[in-house]
Amino acid sequence: MSPGFSIDLPAPTPRPRHAVVADPDPVLRAALVDALRRCRFTVAAAADPMAALALLSETETALALFRRGAEDGGERAAALAVALSPHTRVALTVPGRDGPGTADGAGGGPFPILMLTADPAVVASRLSESGLIPRPARQSPHRPAPPTARGRRGPG
């Protein structure tokens, strides 16, 4: 009889959910930070988009949001963010209350445009609806039990 062979593999660690936000308006910046934290992101924020680029380079970042049309170069910073961190999703933000959460691609160039409000719940909803952040996964009632540490499924 041959001896059994078993390898215990650690569960894969999820990629960090880190975001960088740049908005000169402190109220909208705070709403973005709060909304992203509600969506389980760690968030670094700055008023200046170039300072946000420095934050972007400090850690692996999943999402970077820059203010469109800001006098201090939010669109230029967004373009540089793509070069600095090609795996980071980059979007532009604009203040707005009514209408859809994202504007159509007209005028946004290569970046999606997210309409912001001061209400973090609305911002979180718009982030999810826009596809910038993944929607929470729902577990199917028909999904099998997760494997145990030894790689077997449940008792049996």
Side-chain angles (χ1 to χ4, degrees), residues 7-18:
I7 297 176
D8 290 331
L9 298 174
T13 56
R15 295 187 71 157
R17 291 174 55 105
H18 184 73

Side-chain angles (χ1 to χ4, degrees), residues 18-106:
H18 184 73
V20 171
V21 171
D23 197 298
D25 183 327
V27 173
L28 293 178
R29 186 171 61 245
L32 263 175
V33 168
D34 190 18
L36 287 164
R37 286 186 177 147
R38 288 177 185 208
C39 297
R40 298 186 182 157
F41 278 82
T42 57
V43 185
D48 176 59
M50 294 305 159
L53 281 176
L55 296 171
L56 180 80
S57 65
E58 290 176 5
T59 185
E60 184 178 347
T61 303
L63 179 64
L65 300 168
F66 296 93
R67 173 62 115 22
R68 179 179 183 210
E71 297 291 324
D72 48 6
E75 291 171 82
R76 182 177 40 182
L80 289 171
V82 172
L84 282 173
S85 183
H87 299 292
T88 299
R89 296 196 70 178
V90 178
L92 299 173
T93 62
V94 293
R97 289 185 173 210
D98 300 325
T102 54
D104 61 7

Side-chain angles (χ1 to χ4, degrees), residues 17 39-40 128 133-141 143:
R17 291 174 55 105
C39 297
R40 298 186 182 157
S128 182
I133 62 172
R135 293 178 190 262
R138 291 186 176 178
Q139 182 137 357
S140 167
R143 178 177 269 162

Side-chain angles (χ1 to χ4, degrees), residues 118-130:
D119 182 348
V122 171
V123 173
S125 174
R126 287 180 177 178
L127 283 164
S128 182
E129 289 169 3
S130 70

